[in-house]
Amino acid sequence: SKSTTMTQSTPTTTTDVDNPAHPLYRHRRTVVDFEYGPVLGEGSYSTVLVGKDKKTGKHYAVKKLDKAHIVKNDKVKYVMIERDALSKMNHPGIVRLYWTFKDNRSLYYVLDLARNGELYTYIRRLAPFDMNTAQFYAAEILLAIEHIHSRGVIHRDIKPENILLDDNLHIKITDFGSAKIIPPDSASKKSDDSEDGNAGRSRSFVGTAEYVSPELLRSEPTLQEADLWALGCVIYQMHAGRSPFKAATDYLIFQKIKNRDLAFPEDFPEVAKDIVEKLLVLEPSARLGSEATGGIEALKQHPYFEGVDWETVWESQAPPLK
Ligand code: ADE
């Protein structure tokens, strides 16, 4: 067995690139290193602004979080989870977190700038997407989800508002404020869910009701499969122009989800209907792409994805969105 003498592992998040001697050393950044531009979006606890790095001229999206507001509303834990989850990600389909810093009032997260905004806007404008376009975005979202899960994270708030588009119309998934980080040693993932069973306080209700998985509404622990449910909702939405479980109130939306009250428009493509029906399955372990059904690999084999070259999706030309 390994000797543990002398070599103390530092309990920090220090990585090689934090070492000035490392060839890829990234200089620390702070508030004054950026020029701030227009507001890109506003949430309950945060504002996202364009930030230009004065040293390099490169543009970023800077998420500015109000400390007092976060503390007062008991959201500290979620702000930390967002940072920790984003730090684990290294994928073209997910916004990268470059630096974090703070001043007296705020925390700042410096992220990839996705200049073309939300997939939501394009669905509103252009849906139903043609088969090729919907397939392309579904494939990119699936690959991003696969990466998120491979890093031990469940996003839990996949929806078109959180799927951003970069200069080349490829996706960047954002907003890990609802994420769950699976403890690395949890052989049984079902064990640690103090927060999930607690429906009253469960923050997963903060987001849009329409994408909530049925297991969450049954107060069961959320597993990776919740993100596959959300993928089913997004695929439906790209083809139908609206989310699958729409209703006048959150209560009625929850009823529809729990009962899987699902109907398709007449012109909905057959192969899309088939994959959506296999993703929007009440029982998470029976959902296509669940560990029990063969994992995400099995989902990639569905005829909906016929012709997708999974190896070259990120280098490929995105379909024209107009
Ligand atoms: N709005 C929120 N986050 C964003 C980002 N990373 N890029 C562009 N707009 C955003």
Side-chain angles (χ1 to χ4, degrees), residues 40 48 61 95 111-114 164 174:
L40 294 165
V48 180
V95 291
L111 305 161
D112 274 322
L113 175 62
L164 304 179
T174 192

Side-chain angles (χ1 to χ4, degrees), residues 102-144:
K102 55 181 109 178
D103 61 18
N104 289 337
R105 289 182 103 258
S106 307
L107 308 175
Y108 298 81
Y109 295 175
V110 181
L111 305 161
D112 274 322
L113 175 62
R115 278 199 176 80
N116 276 307
E118 300 172 3
L119 179 62
Y120 180 82
T121 311
Y122 290 87
I123 293 177
R124 289 298 299 263
R125 214 185 276 161
L126 302 172
F129 283 4
D130 62 62
M131 196 53 217
N132 187 51
T133 303
Q135 183 201 54
F136 171 81
Y137 285 108
E140 289 209 335
I141 297 162
L142 180 56
L143 286 171

Side-chain angles (χ1 to χ4, degrees), residues 34 39 51 56 68-69 78 102 110 117 123 142 147 161 163 210 212 234 243 274 276 296 304 321:
F34 294 85
V39 171
T56 65
H69 200 178
Y78 303 111
K102 55 181 109 178
V110 181
I123 293 177
L142 180 56
H147 181 79
E161 294 90 327
I163 301 166
E210 289 162 62
V212 164
V234 176
S243 62
D274 192 80
V276 167
I296 284 179
Y304 183 81
L321 274 178

Side-chain angles (χ1 to χ4, degrees), residues 7 24-25 38 67 73 83 104 135 155 174 196 198 204-205 210 215 225 235 244 258 271 275 277 285 295:
T7 49
L24 295 178
Y25 177 63
K67 283 199 280 191
N73 293 283
R83 187 198 61 194
N104 289 337
Q135 183 201 54
H155 186 286
T174 192
D196 291 332
N198 185 357
S204 311
F205 286 85
E210 289 162 62
E215 58 271 27
E225 288 79 10
I235 294 176
K258 286 189 210 178
V271 70
I275 197 169
E277 283 182 326
S285 66

Side-chain angles (χ1 to χ4, degrees), residues 204-253:
S204 311
F205 286 85
V206 173
T208 317
E210 289 162 62
Y211 301 89
V212 164
S213 66
E215 58 271 27
L216 188 135
L217 295 176
R218 297 190 301 258
S219 298
E220 296 166 12
T222 325
L223 304 177
Q224 283 86 340
E225 288 79 10
D227 289 338
L228 299 177
W229 175 275
L231 173 64
C233 293
V234 176
I235 294 176
Y236 181 103
Q237 200 163 347
M238 289 192 289
H239 291 287
R242 59 171 183 82
S243 62
F245 304 105
K246 252 192 131 46
T249 66
D250 284 358
Y251 176 80
L252 291 171
I253 289 170

